[in-house]
Amino acid sequence: MKRTGTYLLAIMLFLGVACKSKKEKQEAADTKNSEVVSQKWTQEQADVWAEENGWLRGSNFNPSTSINQLEVWQAETFDPETIDRELGWAEEIGLNCMRVYLHHVAWEVDKDGFKNRMNKYLEIADSHGIKTIFVFFDDCWNATYQAGKQPDPKPGVHNSGWVRDPGDLIYEDPELIVTLEAYVKDVLTVFKDDKRIAIWDLYNEPGNSGYGNRSMPLLKNVFEWAWEIRPTQPVSAGVWNASLTDLNKFQLENSDIITYHNYEGPEQHQAAIDTLKTRGLPMVCTEYMARRNNSYFQNIMPILHNENIGAINWGLVAGKSNTKYAWDEPIPDGSEPPLWFHEIFHPDGTPYSQEEVDVIKSLTGVN
């Protein structure tokens, strides 16, 4: 009887240990999962970054010789000479940051070459005192794409050759997510400590092109992939459309710093700032300046400067992207628009507006 009681006690202790072990494993797994989720920066980390980087100001940069992201990064059309020349014009007016889109297909075709070209770009930008915001995914413009020669521009049509990433393919090919994960993690692993990079912009305008909440799974995935690598630079995804409440909530709650887009006039832009700055995090406006919409350097950039918010306008040099034309106002004969929508410089480096350049230089401290 005593032996039997001892035996039962031993069994109970064993089962207790086993149960505890199983419970501990589950708790460890839960802790691991929570660690992935908790990789967002603290307020202190965000503030240190803001102090180190100062007031970022610059443009969304696509060299004038490239119609889209693939033409920028494919070996056959990568154009360091144009990049160097055009970033030199940016340096001359005091710009210190460029936002540059990547594309997974260029990586997929030539992984090492792609990363080498990224490094070459960073070398050129750094030589001009310019930091970089790299963008991974994008829900804007053309849904399909392919490697190789890219289409010629459609005369007078804004961004006629720009391509989404990954676009509709993610809904057609469930295996694509494996490639996208490998792509993001590979690039982040190589460049995660690179001080020439200011921000990783994980996903441009999620939910655009009518996707809405269909973009949420990829948005969540790319944050989780970034947290697993945890680069020393901030990760963010900019809010851009107030109606996308679920996406906005996730983006704002999980970004290390606040990034956003606003192409409206001063009153509306200030209202957006007042709402977003209640979160207390450093802020960067990663898209603004659309002249037709009353979003100019003269009336928006001073606000961003006074609020110490990064100011990244759309467009540096007019070229194959055709973004001097307005979104929904094509000019089929390709003639000059009466008012440029975006861009600062003509392809020869002369300013579209000397008045605008003078305002930029006054704010950036360039004589």
Side-chain angles (χ1 to χ4, degrees):
M1 180 91 177
K2 186 177 179 180
R3 181 180 177 184
T4 302
T6 304
Y7 177 73
L8 289 173
L9 178 61
I11 292 293
M12 290 173 68
L13 288 171
F14 172 79
L15 290 173
V17 169
C19 291
K20 182 180 179 182
S21 177
K22 184 177 180 181
K23 183 180 179 182
E24 287 175 343
K25 287 179 181 178
Q26 183 60 51
E27 287 176 348
D30 291 342
T31 300
K32 182 180 179 182
N33 289 337
S34 67
E35 286 174 353
V36 172
V37 173
S38 68
Q39 290 300 307
K40 178 187 172 182
W41 273 2
T42 63
Q43 179 74 52
E44 182 181 8
Q45 287 173 299
D47 290 342
V48 168
W49 173 87
E51 182 68 25
E52 289 176 349
N53 284 270
W55 185 48
L56 297 175
R57 64 272 184 176
S59 302
N60 283 263
F61 178 61
N62 194 56
S64 61
T65 51
S66 299
I67 193 170
N68 62 22
Q69 315 94 304
L70 288 169
E71 203 157 50
V72 173
W73 295 111
Q74 291 181 142
E76 300 80 5
T77 46
F78 182 65
D79 189 354
E81 292 78 13
T82 296
I83 292 169
D84 185 38
R85 180 175 64 254
E86 295 180 354
L87 293 187
W89 299 335
E91 179 185 16
E92 288 173 1
I93 63 173
L95 303 184
N96 65 6
C97 186
M98 294 288 138
R99 182 171 180 251
V100 182
Y101 286 72
L102 307 172
H103 202 287
H104 87 272
V105 166
W107 171 85
E108 190 175 18
V109 169
D110 180 14
K111 297 177 178 62
D112 289 338
F114 177 80
K115 290 175 287 186
N116 289 338
R117 288 186 286 279
M118 285 182 65
N119 187 62
K120 179 62 176 176
Y121 169 83
L122 289 168
E123 287 178 359
I124 296 169
D126 188 57
S127 75
H128 294 288
I130 290 172
K131 291 196 172 186
T132 301
I133 301 169
F134 279 127
V135 185
F136 278 110
F137 299 134
D138 184 10
D139 276 354
C140 295
W141 303 105
N142 295 295
T144 59
Y145 44 80
Q146 60 182 9
K149 186 181 184 309
Q150 298 303 297
D152 293 328
K154 295 178 182 177
V157 177
H158 179 108
N159 253 342
S160 65
W162 196 262
V163 289
R164 302 175 203 168
D165 188 9
D168 289 350
L169 189 60
I170 196 167
Y171 307 116
E172 300 163 1
D173 179 10
E175 297 301 313
L176 180 62
I177 197 71
V178 176
T179 299
L180 298 179
E181 179 178 1
Y183 158 60
V184 170
K185 289 182 176 180
D186 183 26
V187 170
L188 287 179
T189 298
V190 171
F191 295 102
K192 68 185 181 72
D193 298 315
D194 199 316
K195 295 187 180 300
R196 300 169 297 182
I197 298 172
I199 303 167
W200 293 102
D201 194 339
L202 300 181
Y203 200 148
N204 179 67
E205 299 197 353
N208 207 334
S209 303
Y211 288 151
N213 278 352
R214 294 178 74 196
S215 297
M216 183 69 85
L218 182 59
L219 178 65
K220 289 183 174 180
N221 275 325
V222 71
F223 269 92
E224 290 181 5
W225 300 335
W227 288 330
E228 287 184 43
I229 304 302
R230 192 49 269 185
T232 55
Q233 312 94 337
V235 299
S236 184
V239 292
W240 66 280
N241 183 332
S243 70
L244 297 173
T245 53
D246 294 339
L247 292 166
N248 290 338
K249 184 175 187 293
F250 183 86
Q251 289 163 251
L252 292 171
E253 288 180 353
N254 292 284
S255 292
D256 294 327
I257 62 171
I258 300 300
T259 57
Y260 71 97
H261 298 174
N262 192 293
Y263 285 109
E264 296 181 293
E267 290 184 6
Q268 300 95 323
H269 199 136
Q270 184 66 60
I273 290 170
D274 292 343
T275 298
L276 292 170
K277 73 181 182 182
T278 59
R279 293 182 171 268
L281 291 173
M283 290 170 56
V284 178
C285 178
T286 49
E287 289 187 26
Y288 80 103
M289 210 291 287
R291 296 178 181 92
R292 183 203 64 185
N293 295 5
N294 193 31
S295 178
Y296 289 91
F297 290 109
Q298 295 95 318
N299 62 1
I300 300 298
M301 198 173 184
I303 295 173
L304 298 173
H305 179 261
N306 291 339
E307 296 275 4
N308 195 30
I309 294 171
I312 314 297
N313 74 282
W314 188 277
L316 183 66
V317 182
K320 291 176 74 174
S321 67
N322 274 349
T323 55
K324 67 181 181 181
Y325 299 95
W327 295 318
D328 49 4
E329 295 179 2
I331 301 179
D333 65 2
S335 58
E336 195 74 357
L339 179 70
W340 279 19
F341 196 61
H342 298 313
E343 318 294 9
I344 300 174
F345 294 105
H346 290 272
D348 65 359
T350 57
Y352 168 71
S353 166
Q354 188 61 48
E355 178 189 357
E356 289 180 346
V357 165
D358 290 344
V359 168
I360 293 169
K361 291 169 72 173
S362 71
L363 292 169
T364 60
V366 173
N367 296 324

